Amino acid sequence: MSKKQQRESFHHGNVAREAVTEGLALVEKTADGHYSLRELAAKLGVAHRAITAQFGDKAGLDADIAACGFQKLCKQLEVVENRDAFLVSFVSFALDNPGLYRLMMQQGYSAFEKSPMLRTAADRVIAISVRILAENEPSATIQRRAVMRLWMLSHGAIALQQAGVLMPRSNDDFIREFLAIVNLESAPPGTAQEIWKEIGETDHD
């Protein structure tokens, strides 16, 4: 096969797959999930129009990269057996992959409708979440609410930690404190939470 034929084969057969693979690698190096389509095209050795031709626009490529993120998250969640282990795995994934997690959470509802790959990967995460967090709830509505309650708590905590709003601490220490907050309703009376200590409090010892 000539070099021209090889390039044509790549352009027509592999560019979509390679764009997702290389795009994922770029996103994983970022803290905010942003990457340049031109930089990606340069890495692939194609014009950026060749990439948008495959996905319609950058949003289409973002959706498939986000789907890869949900697939990676699935692999971590599949092995957990209880609620606390689920939360540790979920939050750890987000803190270890800040750019990818942010891109995943930036996908609007319409993106899940447009991308079968994204919808399938997200549905797997939902199924695992229901099994671990809400399997014994009496109805599908209550299962959904139980899962969303913990997802919202997790996402809010992750956002605060990543934004630097909270007292600086290691990710492991933050996750331990997060679990203590989630389980506060069952904690002994008077249990202190120190995650807000830096706001309006000063040590005088």
Side-chain angles (χ1 to χ4, degrees), residues 97-114:
N97 304 276
L100 180 57
Y101 179 78
R102 183 164 295 186
L103 182 67
M104 291 161 60
M105 295 300 115
Q106 288 174 341
Q107 301 307 301
Y109 190 86
S110 62
F112 292 89
E113 295 297 308
K114 293 177 181 177

Side-chain angles (χ1 to χ4, degrees), residues 58-77:
K58 187 172 182 290
L61 174 57
D62 286 349
D64 280 6
I65 294 174
C68 293
F70 280 104
Q71 291 167 358
K72 289 166 70 75
L73 178 58
C74 277
K75 290 181 180 180
Q76 287 196 195
L77 297 178

Side-chain angles (χ1 to χ4, degrees), residues 24-46:
L24 175 62
L26 287 176
V27 168
E28 288 179 326
K29 294 177 182 178
T30 72
D32 58 11
H34 293 155
Y35 65 98
S36 165
L37 197 60
R38 291 186 181 278
E39 179 185 2
L40 175 59
K43 288 178 68 68
L44 296 178
V46 300

Side-chain angles (χ1 to χ4, degrees), residues 128-145:
I128 294 169
S129 300
V130 170
R131 176 174 61 82
I132 299 297
L133 304 177
E135 188 172 43
N136 295 324
E137 298 296 348
S139 71
T141 296
I142 296 177
Q143 285 182 334
R144 175 180 58 81
R145 289 173 178 166

Side-chain angles (χ1 to χ4, degrees), residues 111-185:
F112 292 89
E113 295 297 308
K114 293 177 181 177
S115 172
M117 181 179 174
L118 179 60
R119 181 62 180 266
T120 298
D123 281 348
R124 286 183 60 201
V125 173
I126 292 170
I128 294 169
S129 300
V130 170
R131 176 174 61 82
I132 299 297
L133 304 177
E135 188 172 43
N136 295 324
E137 298 296 348
S139 71
T141 296
I142 296 177
Q143 285 182 334
R144 175 180 58 81
R145 289 173 178 166
V147 168
M148 289 305 298
R149 172 180 175 271
L150 290 172
W151 274 14
M152 289 177 177
L153 285 171
S154 299
H155 186 64
I158 291 162
L160 290 171
Q161 175 73 348
Q162 291 180 332
V165 173
L166 306 177
M167 180 171 60
R169 64 182 71 212
S170 70
N171 286 345
D172 288 343
D173 286 345
F174 169 76
I175 290 171
R176 280 192 289 270
E177 185 68 10
F178 172 62
L179 287 180
I181 291 170
V182 170
N183 294 315
L184 187 60
E185 60 193 26

